[in-house]
């Protein structure tokens, strides 16, 4: 799954950013290797020099954005006791939603080889929704230990509900919503509820 040794510093991210701009401006049909390299200001053949074709490139783009959000989610447990539970969960959920334009995800899912590459990489341990779910669970467990969530909270189920909903919104183009923040905030409020009585200085978590 790895690209063929991208040697130019920053080239990988430069191509990924260019692809996202092309998709946002012109839609999936416009995404070609020439369009990407032209947008990035690179030589025409550079994408195929460093990636095994356009499907491999699209798959790597999706996996890169998932990994970036997984790294952010991995920082969640360290936030236990800071800000509010709702704010912390909302932040990581919106980061995942913002990591990929639904157009990019939709394109990847309609390209059979790209979709297969993504599924294979995730099955082999590439960071994605499962890693994010584990981080959210660990964070919620930490908040239970601090008393900022009720002891009876099913943290694994709450993490699954949050990450599963975000996954659904991504796969369905945010479900028709131009800004998914309100949906995410409502879900988080439903999952974590008000703070337990006596939480120091935080008041309600939602």
């Amino acid at each position: 799954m790895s690209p063929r040794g991208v040697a130019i510093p920053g080239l990988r991210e430069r191509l990924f950013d260019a692809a996202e701009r092309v998709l946002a401006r012109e839609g999936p049909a416009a995404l070609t290797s020439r369009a990407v390299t032209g947008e990035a200001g690179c030589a025409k053949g550079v994408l195929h020099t460093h990636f095994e074709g356009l499907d491999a490139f699209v798959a790597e783009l999706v996996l890169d954005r998932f990994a970036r959000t997984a790294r952010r989610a991995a920082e969640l447990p360290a936030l236990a006791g800071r800000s509010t539970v709702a704010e912390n969960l909302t932040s990581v959920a919106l980061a995942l939603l913002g990591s990929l334009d639904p157009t990019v995800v939709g394109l990847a899912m309609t390209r059979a080889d790209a979709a297969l590459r993504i599924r294979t990489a995730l099955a082999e341990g590439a960071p994605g929704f499962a890693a994010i779910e584990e981080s959210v669970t660990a964070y919620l467990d930490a908040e239970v230990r601090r008393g900022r969530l009720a002891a009876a909270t099913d943290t694994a189920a709450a993490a699954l509900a949050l990450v599963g909903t975000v996954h659904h919104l991504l796969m369905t183009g945010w479900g028709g919503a131009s800004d998914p923040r309100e949906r995410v905030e409502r879900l988080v409020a439903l999952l974590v509820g008000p703070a337990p009585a006596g939480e120091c200085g935080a008041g309600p978590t939602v």
Side-chain angles (χ1 to χ4, degrees):
M1 283 297 300
S2 60
R4 303 177 186 177
V6 177
I8 303 173
L11 177 61
R12 178 183 169 90
E13 188 65 25
R14 185 173 166 187
L15 291 172
F16 287 164
D17 289 345
E20 289 177 324
R21 291 195 299 273
V22 170
L23 285 167
R25 186 174 63 241
E26 302 177 47
L31 191 73
T32 63
S33 58
R34 179 170 294 190
V36 172
T37 53
E39 180 73 21
C42 299
K44 292 178 182 178
V46 73
L47 186 147
H48 289 280
T49 299
H50 297 291
F51 295 87
E52 297 174 1
L54 188 59
D55 282 331
F57 172 77
V58 170
E60 288 288 342
L61 167 59
V62 172
L63 291 168
D64 178 85
R65 293 336 193 204
F66 284 167
R68 184 168 62 182
T69 306
R71 290 192 295 272
R72 177 167 179 176
E75 300 172 356
L76 261 179
L79 297 179
R82 297 160 58 182
S83 188
T84 68
V85 177
E87 287 170 350
N88 290 333
L89 289 181
T90 299
S91 176
V92 76
L94 292 176
L96 179 53
L97 279 172
S99 66
L100 272 173
D101 189 293
T103 304
V104 179
V105 180
L107 173 66
M109 295 302 102
T110 58
R111 301 183 72 99
D113 186 57
L116 177 60
R117 286 170 178 268
I118 293 168
R119 288 196 299 270
T120 299
L122 293 175
E124 292 176 350
F129 289 102
I132 295 167
E133 185 181 330
E134 290 174 3
S135 294
V136 173
T137 301
Y139 164 70
L140 293 174
D141 286 339
E143 294 288 23
V144 168
R145 290 192 295 271
R146 287 178 172 270
R148 300 216 308 165
L149 281 177
T153 301
D154 188 336
T155 56
L160 174 62
L162 180 67
V163 177
T165 298
V166 171
H167 178 274
H168 168 73
L169 290 173
L170 273 174
M171 296 300 144
T172 58
W174 293 346
S178 58
D179 182 358
R181 174 180 289 273
E182 181 183 357
R183 290 186 176 188
V184 169
E185 290 176 343
R186 287 166 55 197
L187 174 63
V188 169
L190 179 66
L191 292 175
V192 304
E199 180 178 330
C200 182
T205 55
V206 295

